[in-house]
Amino acid sequence: MATDIVAQLADSLAKTAVEEGELSYKGQGRKLDNAQSVEEIVKEIQDFQGLQALRLEGNTIGVEAAQAIAKALETKSEFKCCYWSDMFTGRLRSEIPPALNSLGDALMMAGARLTVLDLSDNAFGPDGVKGIEKLLKSTACHTLQELRLNNCGMGIGGGKILAASLIECHKKSSAEGAPLSLKVFIAGRNRLENDGATALAQAFQLMGSLEEVHMPQNGINHPGVTALATAMQHNSGLRVLNLNDNTFTKKGAIAMAQALKHLRSIQAINFGDCLVRSEGALAIAEIVSDGLPILKELNLSFGEITEEAAVAVAQAVKGKAQLEKLDLNGNSLGEEGCEAVREVMNSMNMGDLLGSLSDDDGEPEDDDEEEDEDEEEDEDEEEVDEEEVEEEEEEEEEESTGNLLSTPPSAPRPPDVSSFLSFPSPDKLLKLGAKRALLIEQQVDVSDATKTAEAFLKISSVYKEENEDVKSAVLDSVDALLKKAFATPSFQGYSFVSSLLVLLGLIKSEDKVKPVLVVPGHLQALEHVVRQDYFPKENVAVLEAFVSRNSKALDSCDNARNRLHSTLQTVQSDS
């Protein structure tokens, strides 16, 4: 008993020590542009003996201010934790790399040994990754345990730079006898896609130390998923694997199931909204049944799973004493299938661990045929990609030789609007060229209010306030789309607003529509739209009524929500 009390006291003292070693300016909303604006912060850093952690989240820091803070950090050899998420709001993207370079150089000069580097929600793109490249390769990161880069817009290029940096860090630290042993990696909403994920998988496989991996919403398809699955097999201590809202299909799901065989420490699996399909779910169920003794959460929601596979998954969790939740919502079970799953869980006295099935899509009419068609489409897309690369290489060769070939060059491939609307990215939008607005307008059926609302949200999701080219491209495109829609006699403006509110998660749909994950760009583009002449003023009051509510769906976009609400009120008062 006395030993337990001593242990608890020691643990409490350890936690207090970390807090005492932390200097926090979290969420103060300061606009720090120059050295003068950070004089107080600099002095407090300089005077802080044994500084281990600095929290700058929720402020906005310019280059000169970052350089001044960096100077103060140059002597802090005990420094360990950088909590620097959301600290470049409103800054030009070109300002971020030099600011990060200054801070990184200071930590290296100080001889710091980092354990936590959190730069989430900074939207710095590939250039931002270049800003921390030198730091990641340095001895300061040989001890890194947590790397948090959620919602940074790294893209494929940034993912590759990050992967190369981690590999170099591991190589150098291994040579010194203490290999990089990263435990937590978080990089959701970064548009890494297959190439970025595959590059990072190489780093993960090399390290073999990961305990938590969170990479939701990255546009990763089965080639990238398969690469990650191979890497995860080498991380036997993995406890949490979150790949929500990527696209596994059967191939990726089966590969990931094989990886799970090697992960007996896994506690939480989130493959929700990953299109694992029935065959993938059956493969996962088999592995869950045979192993994973300490599994706590299994999420296979919104995966087009049918009754037989869902029942198999439910049966597979039998005997999992630590299970806390099984999520099979949003699949294709039908009423009888839902009841069958409930019966299985109740028969094992685990009924209370089954999540809601309220968003079930009902039984599919011909599921197997759809799966086969989708798999064939995946293969066709890969073949088309190879043909496109060959065509581009041929065109470049012709240009470099002055078009001396006797046959005329083939006509350039038209921009792929459907690819952009399937997996939106700023780069794809810009590559559609000057006629992008017309191309998008032609692609979307504006007589359908729901499809128009979906298209609006996909376009606006790539909005970047700090990037004038992207900002202009987004606003021009949504203007063209909605101007045409509201000018179409059959278009129902009220239905459009209703669909928009459902998709934003502000009202519940009777049709069980799954809301999108709201990003600031959605609200910033909408703020622009409601000021335009084409947008009916009678719809402004409806939007204002719902935006003004304290909805959790918009919690991650407080600033954008407040601006939108203010604009809606202004437009109402002016009309």
Side-chain angles (χ1 to χ4, degrees), residues 447-454 486 490-503 507 539 542:
S447 64
D448 187 316
T450 299
K451 288 181 180 177
T452 305
E454 289 172 347
F486 283 108
S490 60
F491 185 75
Q492 297 180 332
Y494 182 75
S495 295
F496 167 78
V497 172
S498 297
S499 296
L500 200 58
L501 292 171
V502 167
L503 291 166
I507 59 177
N539 291 333
V542 178

Side-chain angles (χ1 to χ4, degrees), residues 425-456:
S425 74
D427 187 52
K428 286 182 182 177
L429 181 63
L430 294 177
K431 284 182 177 177
L432 291 176
K435 294 184 178 180
R436 65 180 68 87
L438 177 62
L439 292 168
I440 292 172
E441 177 189 318
Q442 292 172 342
Q443 180 80 12
V444 179
D445 179 8
V446 294
S447 64
D448 187 316
T450 299
K451 288 181 180 177
T452 305
E454 289 172 347
F456 166 76

Side-chain angles (χ1 to χ4, degrees), residues 172-204:
K172 289 181 177 178
S173 58
S174 297
E176 295 182 6
L180 170 66
S181 298
L182 193 67
K183 290 181 170 57
V184 177
F185 180 83
I186 300 177
R189 293 172 61 188
N190 271 292
R191 301 190 183 94
L192 295 170
E193 301 184 17
N194 290 330
D195 289 349
T198 300
L200 285 166
Q202 295 173 1
F204 297 163

